[in-house]
Amino acid sequence: MLLLACCYCLPKAGAVGQESYVAAASAPGDFPLVVKQQAAPIFVDSKDFRGVIRAAGDLQSDLQRVTGLKPGLAEDASHLPPCFILIGTLGKSELLDELVRTHKIDVSAIAGKWESFLLQVVAHPLPGVDSALVITGSDKRGTIYGIYDLSAQIGVSPWTWWADVPVPRRDALYVLPGRHSEGPPAVKYRGFFINDEAPALSGWARQTFGGFNHQFYEHVFELLLRMKADFLWPAMWGNAFNEDDTLNNRLADVYGIVMSTSHHEPMMRAQQEWRRHGTGPWNYESNADTLRAFWRQGIVNMGSHESIVTVGMRGDGDMPMSQQSNIALLERIVADQRRIIADVTGRGPAALPQVWALYKEVQDYYDRGMRVPDDVTLLFSDDNWGDIRRLPDPGAARRSGGYGLYYHFDYVGGPRNYKWINTNLVPRVWEQLHLAWQSGVDRIWVVNVGDIKPMELPTQFFLDYAWDPARWPLERLPEYTRLWAAQQFGAEHAAEIAALLEGYTRFNARRKPELLAPETYSLTDYGEADSVVAQYERLAEEAQRLWGILPAADRDAFYELVLHPILASANLNDLYVTAARNRLYAAQGRAATNALAARVRQLFARDSEITRYYNDTLAGGRWPHMMDQTHIGYRYWQEPRQNGMPEVREVTLPAAADMGVAIEGSSRSWPLAPGTTDTATPVLPALDPHGAPHAYFDVFNRGGAPFEFRAHADAPWLTVTPSRARVETEQRVWVSVDWRRAPAGSRLAAITVSGPRVPVVIRAPVVQPSAPQADSAQGFLESRGYVSIEAEHYSRAVNAGDIRWVRIPGLGRTLSGVTTFPVTAPRQTPGGDAPHLEYHLYLFEAGEFAVRAFFSPALDVHATGVRYAVSFDGEAPQVVNIAADTTLRAWERMVADNAAVAVTRHTLDRLGEHVLRIWMVDPGVVLQKLVVEHAFAPPPPSYLGPPESFHRR
């Protein structure tokens, strides 16, 4: 079977991560879906669920799109052809049940299970029938998932409609012999929340469908089902799912989507329904009778449709309740709501699934002891930025209602909204979902996807992982994005496309676009700002190259899923860095200042052009308003009404030439202005042979006429390139050392720069240590006063028992993350042979040092601390709780920077070799980077920290 799949499987087919069971060429025992201009007809019992019959129609259409042939669809079994597709739900299809009774098909693997399905080629299932492809479901959604699984296998992406992903054309399709079974899902209810949907999705829906009506939701329901999801919190900004179109809820039930209302909309009633019909305050203490009547109507309106009822209460408009609210009152509210449920449905309240969302301040009530009946699902939440806030206590008894998770790919709120573009890194999402899954959170997973677009990649990963976490262990995680790219665009360029997707999401995740500012990245140190822009530019160049060679049919989807977020993000980062450089140049009086101001205006206009293309031209104008979200010019947490260009400055230049000099590592410039009190002299960052072999300075014009400069070093082993040049606006000059000729020890060389004004003398510290030699050193070598270490580059990982250190590739602002598995391991006492990482390094001085440790954001999910420990050599480990500061300011800094940073201090009484140890204390702590620095002379600050130091392993 596997050999046949490798030889004949379709190049663009299958749910992500599955083995292919559909081929384009025949082999013995195959079932011919389409061959020789004939398509196998589809039979589905008329007594089966309407949603199954409807999905069978989608399979009919999908086969037609792929092959050009539309198979017949019959509900009458009186005239079965020799070869046909049988679709049925156990207990709802007489023909299927007959095959089970006569042992033609074995359904023991799925019978009685939740949302499970089986596809099997059955030879001679009935008299006169040669072969049948039987798609069997354990229940309604099980059958529907089986239908869409086959659609995915023939090459129809879940995003065909939502992202214009084309289907491949095939003349023939065969299903391989054997059985293909899926389910039950690991998480019972899996879906998403359409939220923060204005102005983008709402504007598009109004223009395309006239609003969030059943025509819109039909496409949402189908998208969910194609990704094996079953749950929806509908759009709520100004919308009421049940009232805006009375077909909405009825069609959800037909399709098989379990409906609910969001975390602050209890009892199946939208917030907008209260605004439209409610009277008096949204306050249970003063208006209980009105609220009970309002909630009762929600349960009445629900009828028999499959639903999960949100219980509890928050303040009106997704706000906290009053400060006077207390646990007893909230428990009474839940009890009264359950009495309403029992009274309206005529059944015990436990018969209807309910959820209590522990969102924001509601979690505080839970932490203070509030409890709800055992059958109510406790829906834990993240902090709106992808960091889970609370998980079940280890060893806690299982609840009949279980636990759920409410997660975010989009958010409106502090420290800034993030709604415009995808900023969700798959490895980070995996790390948090893995933590939840291993902690027993498996009843409901719902994720806020904003406008649905452009969250296609993380949304599908979220739902794929919820369906089967075992399919995506850490070892397979790097495959996911490549396989997802192959599902959308085929295998030929999948690796290249995956690199683009991973690249832009990594860069956007390290600081979300709405949080960018001209001062985010350093212009003067480590080449940070230039490096960030160059990284985006390389992505953009590669994405545009691929866009040019892809088939024309793939280009709209490629633009939506890959090219647009890269072009838009690259342009935005260039805009802010150029604005920062304009301000720096204006302060230095550079002649290039005004050109930079003009370029900022061009980049700002380019942002609008990119938006207009998406909204007005892309895919023949299918997506009007979809990129309307503002994203430039934030002043506080709320979005600006319109994009605002960063402030730029211009200078008036004298006609004559006037030389200026600026150095790496400083925003100052020389010669100093006459009469200035600043006495600073230009000193380059130190040069050494193993970590900092070169430095630069800029010679620039402060006037209108060009000039020539000369630069001369007073040491023969110091090279200046170029040593002379004509300057129109500016010239970068590089300083390097011939280390074979340079003397040992520390020297302070001088470089004299001569031009139309007084010469500028630049000092160049040069350090040539006698030991260790770069070609023989082990571990990391100090340079410029620090050692910077990426977490995965440890010298040794010490495991203990079942606890092991693992690398999560791509989870890091600059490289990756390192953590311990299992994530449910007990707390460890650091020291001895306890789990730890060792980093060997060489320091050129003794004294006081600080270790700055960068971690993935982490919250105290068990209210017991988030600890690690650190030590040098044989000293006692220092234990640090990275979640100790619970202030709003600390949290805002952590999520904005997408890093939790902790600092420890250490006294080292000798120079030379040292071993830095990072100890596991609590599980779930993900280390990204370490910087060892002199405590009283830290390296220059920057957003991403110093680049990694020279090292040998």
Side-chain angles (χ1 to χ4, degrees), residues 161-162 164 204 453 560 614-615 618 621-626:
W161 193 90
W162 278 95
D164 299 298
W204 171 78
K453 299 175 70 65
E560 294 169 45
Y614 199 117
N615 284 345
L618 174 65
R622 272 201 72 199
W623 303 107
H625 302 291
M626 191 55 80

Side-chain angles (χ1 to χ4, degrees), residues 586-607:
Q588 295 174 342
R590 297 200 191 196
T593 300
N594 296 352
L596 289 174
R599 189 161 187 275
V600 170
R601 296 185 185 99
Q602 292 170 357
L603 292 167
F604 184 71
R606 174 65 176 148
D607 178 88

Side-chain angles (χ1 to χ4, degrees), residues 121-406:
V121 177
V122 180
H124 308 295
L126 298 165
V129 176
D130 296 331
S131 179
L133 172 63
V134 183
I135 303 175
T136 308
S138 63
D139 53 22
K140 175 169 68 175
R141 280 188 294 275
T143 311
I144 292 170
Y145 294 155
I147 293 168
Y148 285 128
D149 198 78
L150 180 58
S151 285
Q153 287 277 338
I154 67 174
V156 181
S157 165
W159 299 101
T160 290
W161 193 90
W162 278 95
D164 299 298
V165 177
V167 298
R169 292 303 300 267
R170 299 284 181 263
D171 294 329
L173 293 170
Y174 300 87
V175 176
L176 305 183
R179 293 160 60 89
H180 175 73
S181 180
E182 294 265 341
V187 178
K188 186 171 185 178
Y189 298 105
R190 314 154 310 282
F192 56 66
F193 180 20
I194 303 171
N195 192 25
D196 313 325
E197 66 271 21
L201 186 66
S202 59
W204 171 78
R206 279 194 300 270
Q207 187 159 330
T208 306
F209 300 110
F212 290 102
N213 53 28
H214 76 277
Q215 294 171 301
F216 165 82
Y217 277 110
E218 283 175 337
H219 295 289
V220 174
F221 300 154
E222 182 183 325
L223 174 66
L224 287 163
L225 294 171
R226 285 185 183 270
M227 293 189 290
K228 298 186 178 72
D230 59 8
F231 182 79
L232 180 65
W233 280 353
M236 52 152 288
W237 276 26
N239 305 295
F241 178 80
N242 292 313
E243 286 194 349
D244 292 343
D245 186 335
T246 56
L247 290 178
N248 283 347
N249 206 21
R250 289 155 60 185
L251 281 176
D253 194 58
V254 168
Y255 274 73
I257 300 300
V258 181
M259 293 304 303
S260 186
T261 45
S262 72
H263 55 86
H264 72 106
E265 299 175 303
M267 300 293 279
M268 302 303 296
R269 301 217 70 173
Q271 174 191 351
Q272 289 302 312
E273 294 180 68
W274 175 257
R275 293 191 173 181
R276 296 171 187 177
H277 311 299
T279 57
W282 180 264
N283 186 307
Y284 203 73
E285 290 181 293
S286 62
N287 202 19
D289 290 343
T290 302
L291 285 166
R292 282 194 293 267
F294 176 75
W295 291 337
R296 172 180 289 272
Q297 190 61 46
I299 305 303
V300 170
N301 295 342
M302 176 188 70
S304 61
H305 297 159
E306 195 173 3
S307 308
I308 299 179
V309 177
T310 299
V311 297
M313 187 176 183
R314 292 193 74 214
D316 193 17
D318 196 14
M319 298 297 289
M321 293 176 65
S322 68
Q323 293 297 319
Q324 290 73 35
S325 297
N326 56 65
I327 289 174
L329 173 63
L330 288 167
E331 289 178 339
R332 179 161 62 89
I333 290 171
V334 172
D336 289 352
Q337 289 170 338
R338 285 168 63 84
R339 276 190 286 271
I340 292 171
I341 292 170
D343 185 50
V344 173
T345 64
R347 298 181 294 166
L352 181 66
Q354 296 149 63
V355 61
W356 182 39
L358 305 181
Y359 182 68
K360 288 192 175 180
E361 82 288 343
V362 180
Q363 182 185 302
D364 298 334
Y365 306 141
Y366 175 78
D367 290 342
R368 287 160 46 198
M370 179 178 170
R371 294 295 180 264
V372 294
D374 192 68
D375 61 272
V376 177
T377 301
L378 297 182
L379 190 72
F380 294 112
S381 175
D382 68 355
D383 61 352
N384 306 304
W385 289 72
D387 312 309
I388 295 175
R389 295 181 65 201
R390 183 70 78 241
L391 289 170
D393 293 334
R398 291 192 64 85
R399 298 172 51 83
S400 61
Y403 301 96
L405 176 65
Y406 172 34

Side-chain angles (χ1 to χ4, degrees), residues 561-798:
L561 300 174
V562 185
L563 184 57
H564 171 265
I566 290 174
L567 290 180
S569 301
N571 187 80
L572 185 69
N573 279 267
D574 196 358
L575 170 71
Y576 279 116
V577 170
T578 303
R581 182 167 283 112
N582 163 262
R583 297 177 192 182
L584 175 64
Y585 280 22
Q588 295 174 342
R590 297 200 191 196
T593 300
N594 296 352
L596 289 174
R599 189 161 187 275
V600 170
R601 296 185 185 99
Q602 292 170 357
L603 292 167
F604 184 71
R606 174 65 176 148
D607 178 88
S608 297
E609 293 167 7
I610 293 170
T611 296
R612 278 195 297 272
Y613 178 82
Y614 199 117
N615 284 345
D616 302 338
T617 306
L618 174 65
R622 272 201 72 199
W623 303 107
H625 302 291
M626 191 55 80
M627 281 297 136
D628 280 358
Q629 179 60 51
T630 57
H631 48 276
I632 308 175
Y634 273 74
R635 295 289 182 262
Y636 66 118
W637 70 267
Q638 183 59 284
E639 65 202 41
R641 294 196 174 195
Q642 60 186 24
N643 288 327
M645 191 185 82
E647 178 188 355
V648 295
R649 299 169 188 168
E650 296 187 334
V651 296
T652 301
L653 301 174
D658 189 3
M659 183 185 77
V661 175
I663 64 169
E664 180 181 355
S666 176
S667 60
R668 293 185 173 93
S669 63
W670 292 266
L672 299 170
T676 181
T677 58
D678 190 343
T679 59
T681 57
V683 181
L684 289 172
L687 300 167
D688 64 59
H690 40 66
H694 51 71
Y696 70 83
F697 61 88
D698 289 339
V699 179
F700 58 87
N701 201 342
R702 286 171 166 164
F707 67 87
E708 290 190 356
F709 81 91
R710 297 185 65 179
H712 173 73
D714 68 353
W717 36 263
L718 196 65
T719 303
V720 181
T721 307
S723 60
R724 61 185 301 169
R726 177 181 172 86
V727 177
E728 298 280 349
T729 54
E730 57 190 353
Q731 173 67 54
R732 178 148 294 181
V733 181
W734 290 96
V735 179
S736 58
V737 177
D738 183 348
W739 297 106
R740 294 169 299 177
R741 301 170 59 195
S746 300
R747 293 286 299 273
L748 190 63
I751 302 167
T752 302
V753 184
S754 302
R757 283 190 62 190
V758 297
V760 174
V761 178
I762 301 172
R763 301 297 180 182
V766 179
V767 181
Q768 170 101 295
S770 57
Q773 297 298 313
D775 58 358
S776 63
Q778 295 298 312
F780 289 82
L781 298 186
E782 178 187 350
S783 177
R784 293 185 176 175
Y786 65 83
V787 176
S788 180
I789 304 169
E790 294 291 347
E792 72 171 63
H793 292 152
Y794 48 80
S795 305
R796 187 168 76 114
V798 176

Side-chain angles (χ1 to χ4, degrees), residues 79-149:
H79 300 288
L80 292 173
C83 186
F84 71 100
I85 302 168
L86 169 60
I87 295 173
T89 308
L90 292 175
K92 298 290 288 186
S93 169
E94 292 183 5
L95 186 56
L96 174 64
D97 291 345
E98 176 63 21
L99 295 182
V100 174
R101 281 193 296 271
T102 57
H103 305 290
K104 295 290 186 178
I105 185 170
D106 178 7
V107 296
S108 59
I110 66 168
K113 294 182 179 178
W114 179 261
E115 296 180 349
S116 302
F117 64 88
L118 169 69
L119 285 89
Q120 182 174 354
V121 177
V122 180
H124 308 295
L126 298 165
V129 176
D130 296 331
S131 179
L133 172 63
V134 183
I135 303 175
T136 308
S138 63
D139 53 22
K140 175 169 68 175
R141 280 188 294 275
T143 311
I144 292 170
Y145 294 155
I147 293 168
Y148 285 128
D149 198 78

